[in-house]
C-alpha cells in the first residue's frame, strides 16, 4: 500500500478549524487507502521560545485531538516525533545536501521572523524545513496531506529526495503534496485576507477546536464581513463572506453554490447566525471527546508507544540504507 505521512505542531493549547479542514480531515480520509503515519512534531515545537511543561501538556492535548478528529490508532501509526530518533538523524544527513541559499528562501521562516528579525531567531527555526523533509522521507511517504502554507516545504522535500537519489543512488520515494483546493487555506475571521493561524491571528480570528461552543458561535457572529450585503463567493471582493461560505460548506458537505442559492436575498446576519449554530454543533462533541480521551493518560501513552514502535520499524530500515549510501562504515 502507498504511504501517507503528516504532522501538526503542538504549539498551542488547541488546534484550530484551519488545521482541521486543511489537514486532519484529509488525514482521516486517507487512512482507508494508505498506510498512514501521523505524528506530533515536538522537535519542531522547540525552535521557538517555549515552556517545557506546556509542551508536554500540549503534546497530550494534540494526541487526544487527533484521535477525536478520527485518526484510528488500529490502522494508523500515531506517535510523537521525539520517540523516533531517526527523524533527527536523517535531518542531519539531509542538511549536508541542502543549500544555505535554498533554505533562506523558505517563506515560513521569513514570515515567522518578520517581527523579531532573523537575528533573534534560532538556528533550529532556520533548519526546520530540513527536519520536516526528514519526517517525510524517513517513511518513504508517497503523499503528504497539508494546507497550502506547507506546499513550499514539501517542494523542498522533493528536491532533496531527488538530489540524494541522484548523488547516492535510488534511496527515497519522491513524495507529492496532497492539498485540497478550497479548504487548504482557511482565513482569519477578523482579517480574512490572512490565514487563520495559532501564532499570528487574534483570539477572535481563530476558532479553536476546543473552544467553548458558545464562544465559537460568538466568534462566527462577530466575524468581519465585507461591504455590500449579498452572500456570494468572491475571494477578491468579499474575502470575509467567502471564508464563511468555505467553512459552512466544509462542515455541512453542501456545495458553495447550494449554500449561496439557499441564502439568496438574505442578510449577512441570518447567514452568520445559521453558521454559528453549525460551528457550535461541531466543536461541542469534539471538545467532549477530546476531554474524555485526555482523562486517560495511560491509554494515550500506550497509543503513542505502539505508534512509535510501528514507525521505528519503517524508519530504521530507511536510515540504515541512507547511512550505507552515505559511506558511513556500518557497525558489525
Ligand atoms: P502546522 O502545525 O502549522 O499546521 C498543521 C496543519 O494544518 C495546516 N494549516 C491550515 N490549513 C488550512 N488553513 C489554515 N489556516 C491552516 N493553518 C494550518 C497546515 O498546512 C498543516 O498541514 N511544518 C508543519 C508541521 C510538520 C509537518 C511535517 C507536516 C512538521 N513535519 C511533515 C507534514 C509533514 C506545520 O508547521 O504545520
Amino acid at each position: 500500500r502507498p504511504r501517507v505521512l503528516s504532522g501538526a505542531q503542538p504549539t498551542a493549547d488547541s488546534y484550530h478549524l484551519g488545521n482541521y479542514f486543511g489537514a486532519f480531515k484529509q488525514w482521516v480520509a486517507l487512512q482507508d487507502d494508505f498506510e498512514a503515519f501521523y505524528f506530533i512534531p515536538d522537535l519542531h515545537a522547540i525552535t521557538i521560545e517555549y515552556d517545557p511543561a506546556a509542551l508536554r501538556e500540549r503534546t497530550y492535548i494534540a494526541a487526544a485531538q487527533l484521535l477525536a478528529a478520527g485518526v484510528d490508532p488500529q490502522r494508523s501509526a500515531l506517535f510523537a516525533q521525539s520517540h523516533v530518533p531517526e527523524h533527527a538523524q536523517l535531518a542531519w544527513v539531509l542538511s549536508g545536501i541542502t543549500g544555505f541559499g535554498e533554505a533562506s528562501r523558505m517563506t515560513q521562516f521569513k514570515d515567522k521572523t518578520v517581527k523579531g528579525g532573523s537575528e533573534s531567531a534560532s538556528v533550529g527555526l532556520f533548519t526546520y524545513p530540513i527536519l520536516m523533509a526528514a519526517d517525510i522521507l524517513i517513511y518513504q511517504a508517497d503523499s503528504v496531506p497539508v494546507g497550502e502554507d506547507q506546499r513550499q516545504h514539501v517542494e523542498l522535500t522533493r528536491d532533496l529526495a531527488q538530489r540524494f537519489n541522484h548523488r547516492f543512488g535510488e534511496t527515497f520515494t519522491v513524495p507529492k503534496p496532497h492539498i485540497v483546493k478550497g479548504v487548504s487555506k482557511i482565513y482569519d475571521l477578523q482579517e480574512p485576507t490572512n490565514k487563520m493561524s495559532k501564532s499570528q491571528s487574534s483570539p477572535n480570528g481563530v476558532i479553536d477546536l476546543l473552544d467553548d461552543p458558545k464562544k465559537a458561535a460568538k466568534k462566527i457572529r462577530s466575524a468581519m464581513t465585507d461591504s455590500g450585503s449579498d452572500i456570494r463567493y468572491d475571494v477578491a471582493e468579499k474575502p470575509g463572506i467567502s471564508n464563511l461560505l468555505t467553512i459552512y460548506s466544509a462542515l455541512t458537505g453542501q456545495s458553495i453554490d447550494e449554500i449561496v442559492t439557499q441564502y439568496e436575498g438574505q442578510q449577512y446576519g441570518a447567514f452568520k447566525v445559521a453558521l454559528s449554530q453549525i460551528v457550535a454543533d461541531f466543536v461541542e462533541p469534539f471538545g467532549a471527546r477530546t476531554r474524555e480521551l485526555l482523562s486517560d493518560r495511560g491509554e494515550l501513552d500506550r497509543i503513542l508507544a505502539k505508534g512509535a514502535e510501528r514507525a521505528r520499524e519503517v524508519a530504521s530500515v530507511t536510515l540504515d540504507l541512507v547511512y550505507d549510501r552515505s559511506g558511513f562504515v556500518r557497525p558489525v
Side-chain angles (χ1 to χ4, degrees):
R1 278 200 300 164
R3 290 194 184 136
V4 62
L5 168 125
S6 200
Q9 289 201 74
T11 44
D13 292 331
S14 174
Y15 291 130
H16 58 65
L17 218 49
N19 299 135
Y20 183 78
F21 292 131
F24 307 157
K25 232 179 136 177
Q26 279 62 255
W27 298 14
V28 171
L30 291 167
Q31 295 178 113
D32 293 333
D33 298 321
F34 287 76
E35 185 182 356
F37 296 87
Y38 298 132
F39 74 103
I40 302 159
D42 48 2
L43 299 175
H44 277 114
I46 66 167
T47 58
I48 52 171
E49 233 181 272
Y50 77 102
D51 170 51
L55 175 61
R56 194 170 291 120
E57 183 60 18
R58 287 168 170 182
T59 300
Y60 282 114
I61 298 174
Q65 288 188 90
L66 293 173
L67 293 166
V71 170
D72 174 6
Q74 300 299 332
R75 289 186 290 163
S76 305
L78 176 66
F79 59 98
Q81 190 182 27
S82 62
H83 291 185
V84 186
E86 288 84 358
H87 290 232
Q89 292 176 288
L90 177 58
W92 181 255
V93 174
L94 294 177
S95 73
I97 61 161
T98 309
F100 190 85
E102 187 173 38
S104 308
R105 284 190 288 277
M106 295 295 113
T107 55
Q108 184 164 306
F109 177 77
K110 292 185 198 166
D111 291 347
K112 288 196 171 174
T113 52
V114 273
K115 273 191 208 132
S118 57
E119 270 300 307
S120 59
S122 72
V123 173
L125 189 65
F126 183 71
T127 57
Y128 173 122
I130 305 173
L131 178 58
M132 177 161 163
D135 298 335
I136 298 168
L137 299 180
I138 199 83
Y139 299 103
Q140 307 284 10
D142 299 276
S143 181
V144 186
V146 286
E148 185 58 44
D149 60 350
Q150 298 300 317
R151 183 188 293 278
Q152 196 190 28
H153 291 158
V154 181
E155 287 302 325
L156 174 71
T157 305
R158 290 171 55 85
D159 289 345
L160 295 178
Q162 281 160 344
R163 189 172 306 155
F164 192 96
N165 289 348
H166 184 72
R167 288 198 197 158
F168 303 103
E170 276 308 308
T171 305
F172 293 121
T173 301
V174 181
K176 288 197 180 65
H178 177 89
I179 298 175
V180 178
K181 252 188 143 174
V183 291
S184 66
K185 191 167 181 182
I186 302 294
Y187 293 86
D188 184 317
L189 298 174
Q190 291 302 323
E191 290 179 65
T193 51
N194 298 342
K195 73 166 179 180
M196 187 179 281
S197 154
K198 50 197 159 203
S199 55
Q200 277 144 24
S201 297
S202 69
N204 283 334
V206 183
I207 304 276
D208 278 333
L209 297 176
L210 297 181
D211 267 348
D212 169 72
K214 285 202 190 76
K215 192 164 130 196
K218 187 151 177 253
K219 288 182 187 176
I220 294 288
R221 287 197 306 272
S222 54
M224 237 290 270
T225 32
D226 322 285
S227 56
S229 62
D230 52 329
I231 296 168
R232 63 186 164 84
Y233 188 82
D234 179 340
V235 177
E237 295 285 319
K238 289 174 165 284
I241 208 76
S242 300
N243 189 38
L244 296 182
L245 281 165
T246 300
I247 294 172
Y248 195 117
S249 165
L251 281 174
T252 60
Q254 283 178 267
S255 73
I256 303 248
D257 284 345
E258 275 167 14
I259 303 162
V260 167
T261 309
Q262 188 182 332
Y263 286 92
E264 211 177 300
Q266 299 203 44
Q267 304 288 320
Y268 287 161
F271 172 69
K272 287 206 270 186
V273 166
L275 179 59
S276 69
Q277 189 59 49
I278 291 167
V279 168
D281 289 345
F282 174 74
V283 296
E284 204 271 322
F286 187 94
R289 180 71 186 129
T290 302
R291 283 187 292 278
E292 189 182 317
L293 287 157
L294 271 174
S295 68
D296 189 348
R297 300 293 166 112
E299 178 61 11
L300 291 176
D301 280 330
R302 279 188 291 278
I303 289 171
L304 294 176
K306 186 172 151 249
E309 194 183 330
R310 172 67 195 127
R312 287 202 76 180
E313 283 170 18
V314 176
S316 60
V317 172
T318 308
L319 190 75
D320 261 339
L321 181 64
V322 168
Y323 273 12
D324 185 53
R325 292 270 152 88
S326 299
F328 298 150
V329 172
R330 308 304 294 131
V332 286

